[in-house]
Amino acid sequence: GAGVSQSPSNKVTEKGKDVELRCDPISGHTALYWYRQRLGQGLEFLIYFQGNSAPDKSGLPSDRFSAERTGESVSTLTIQRTQQEDSAVYLCASSSPRGAYNEQFFGPGTRLTVL
Amino acid sequence: AQSVSQHNHHVILSEAASLELGCNYSYGGTVNLFWYVQYPGQHLQLLLKYFSGDPLVKGIKGFEAEFIKSKFSFNLRKPSVQWSDTAEYFCAVNQAGTALIFGKGTTLSVSS
């Protein structure tokens, strides 16, 4: 079946504007994760959704960042009043937590550039 | 705080050379360990994983990794690299049902 998809693949925006990034997880995967990768850095965890549980927002860097997920499907990551330091590749991953094993499958990412 | 350290930022090898990439983690309790690879222009793919059992795990494309609990290490190895192994390699750790904590990555460049 289809893998994790993300849109747009690239986004260029001006400082101060809001952006929305979309993630479509693998069908049937109950867990969804957002990460970001800034230049020269590893991946940083942002937020985690698991089924109908309250999301784990512990990785969000500021209150300008928020995310929503509709049931066990699409998720949207919103960044308000973007800053230049928000420039990064934003990655989405999904997994099916059967037992203790939750291999995460990654999407291609959205490259965000804030001018 | 939990963390993952990858000691080599950039490794340059000739084809047929042996590879070992270091990964150490700081994480209490039982952990799951992963190596992901990102080939140029492609998205992250799982190379191999360790959950339990035999600490020597084999992955795709001839890669293997050894979990040494006493050293909090999960080093990646390949006896003979190929030009097509040129990529960025990420070590990651988590506990069941939690987000992955990644190292900063190692760029491997293999010359033919």
Side-chain angles (χ1 to χ4, degrees), chain A residues 13 16-21 36 46 60-67 76-83 85-88 90 112 114:
Chain A
T13 191
K17 295 284 178 70
D18 298 351
V19 295
E20 282 190 355
L21 311 179
R36 75 173 174 183
L46 297 177
L60 294 178
S62 78
D63 59 7
R64 296 186 295 103
F65 287 72
S66 63
T76 303
L77 177 70
T78 301
I79 309 173
Q80 296 178 310
R81 305 181 303 281
T82 51
Q83 304 294 311
E85 63 262 27
D86 298 334
S87 295
Y90 288 82
L112 175 65
V114 182

Side-chain angles (χ1 to χ4, degrees), chain A residues 37 40-43, chain B residues 4-10 21 35-36 88-91 102-108:
Chain A
Q37 183 179 17
Q41 302 294 314
L43 280 77
Chain B
V4 176
S5 297
Q6 291 183 240
H7 313 297
N8 314 102
H9 179 62
H10 193 180
L21 301 182
W35 276 96
Y36 280 86
E88 191 156 15
Y89 293 80
F90 294 93
C91 180
F102 284 85
K104 292 189 176 182
T106 298
T107 300
L108 172 64

